[in-house]
Amino acid sequence: MIKKEEEFTEIKEQMYKDKLAQLKKQLQQLEEGTLPEYSKRLKKLEQQHKERIRVNDVWQKYQIDHVEKLFVQEKKALVSEFEERKVELKENLIAELEDKKKHIDSERLCMELTGDSMEVKPISTRKLRRRPNEPAPVQDKRRKPSPTQLSLLLDESEILEDLRIINKVSGKPIKKPQAVIACNGDNVCDARIDDGKLYYEKRWFHRGQPVYVESKETGKVGGVISAVGTQEVWIRKTQDNGKIKIYVNQLQKGKYTIRRRST
């Protein structure tokens, strides 16, 4: 019985030594990098690493291509917007200069019509001798209004009628003004904005005035002038309170027409 126990102990101790020797051998192979399990797992990790690098490279190229396409599209859009705004600015400046030129021509025409009848004749006055110890007269330093500073608040027909009466009394003939070109497809209508009012076809239009607006797109629409800007007029439609924005150059080109409307 004792002999069997000793044999069992020897076998157990031998198994322990064999296992310990095997572990030491595996540890040595692991340190040398020759352990089969280590090589197998390392190879698997390397494959995963290579696959992730490949996926990241593909994703990077996709992102770069996408950003470059967006950049090209944004650049084209900006260039197109710049060209459109440049053309719009040029057209607005041309329209503004044409309005100023027409305004100056109208003032010059009015000055030519009123130049003969607005002459200021000096009044002859007799100067009296100043008494001794009498204070010197105080000169009136108020400036007389210039006859050329005219406010065009009347229609040309009303102005011509007034000038005709004035010249009839003074006995001087009136000069006929140059004919104003009517609005049609080839000529330009007389339209401008001055001092917050719209001058269109020999009539003045102001804010709050009921009007008719007519064009090919909208037809004839009734409304009220809600605002007058520097280059545009806003019309509030009476039907649905919608607003129409009309530029001066559109009135000049005949795209829109405005007529007075009785309330």
Side-chain angles (χ1 to χ4, degrees), residues 72-105:
V72 172
Q73 293 176 359
E74 290 289 336
K75 187 177 180 180
K76 288 182 180 179
L78 289 175
V79 171
S80 177
E81 182 181 359
F82 170 73
E83 294 296 333
E84 291 177 358
R85 296 191 66 178
K86 185 170 67 173
V87 173
E88 182 181 358
L89 176 61
K90 186 177 180 180
E91 291 179 352
N92 291 337
L93 289 176
I94 291 174
E96 185 177 353
L97 291 175
E98 289 178 353
D99 291 341
K100 291 181 179 179
K101 181 178 179 297
K102 290 181 181 179
H103 184 66
I104 293 172
D105 292 340

Side-chain angles (χ1 to χ4, degrees), residues 3 10 30 46 84 87 99 106 128 163 187-188 202 212:
K3 188 177 180 179
E10 289 177 0
L30 181 62
E46 288 177 350
E84 291 177 358
V87 173
D99 291 341
S106 178
L128 301 177
L163 292 176
N187 299 319
V188 178
K202 301 181 181 181
Y212 283 113

Side-chain angles (χ1 to χ4, degrees), residues 118-124 172:
M118 295 297 291
E119 294 178 354
V120 179
K121 298 181 179 180
I123 302 174
S124 61
K172 296 181 180 180

Side-chain angles (χ1 to χ4, degrees), residues 195-210:
D195 196 18
K197 297 180 181 179
L198 171 66
Y199 181 78
Y200 176 70
E201 290 193 350
K202 301 181 181 181
R203 291 182 180 274
W204 288 97
F205 297 84
H206 55 81
R207 180 183 177 186
Q209 185 172 358

Side-chain angles (χ1 to χ4, degrees), residues 224 226-227 233-237 240-246:
V224 178
S226 60
V233 178
W234 288 89
I235 308 296
R236 179 173 53 82
K237 295 187 291 185
D240 55 356
N241 290 330
K243 289 188 177 181
I244 304 175
K245 185 178 182 182
I246 304 175

Side-chain angles (χ1 to χ4, degrees), residues 12-108:
K12 188 176 181 181
E13 186 176 355
Q14 186 64 37
M15 290 176 61
Y16 170 74
K17 289 180 181 181
D18 293 341
K19 191 173 182 179
L20 181 61
Q22 185 180 3
L23 290 175
K24 287 181 179 180
K25 183 179 180 182
Q26 290 179 355
L27 181 61
Q28 184 178 359
Q29 289 177 347
L30 181 62
E31 291 176 352
E32 294 175 355
T34 57
L35 185 66
E37 185 68 21
Y38 170 75
S39 300
K40 183 179 179 180
R41 294 187 180 184
L42 181 61
K43 186 177 181 180
K44 186 177 181 180
L45 287 175
E46 288 177 350
Q47 290 177 353
Q48 292 177 354
H49 176 67
K50 290 179 180 180
E51 182 65 18
R52 292 192 63 178
I53 290 176
R54 188 187 66 82
V55 172
N56 289 334
D57 290 340
V58 172
W59 177 250
Q60 183 184 15
K61 291 180 180 179
Y62 168 77
Q63 290 289 344
I64 292 174
D65 293 340
H66 182 65
V67 171
E68 288 179 351
K69 289 181 181 179
L70 288 178
F71 170 74
V72 172
Q73 293 176 359
E74 290 289 336
K75 187 177 180 180
K76 288 182 180 179
L78 289 175
V79 171
S80 177
E81 182 181 359
F82 170 73
E83 294 296 333
E84 291 177 358
R85 296 191 66 178
K86 185 170 67 173
V87 173
E88 182 181 358
L89 176 61
K90 186 177 180 180
E91 291 179 352
N92 291 337
L93 289 176
I94 291 174
E96 185 177 353
L97 291 175
E98 289 178 353
D99 291 341
K100 291 181 179 179
K101 181 178 179 297
K102 290 181 181 179
H103 184 66
I104 293 172
D105 292 340
S106 178
E107 287 184 351
R108 185 185 65 180

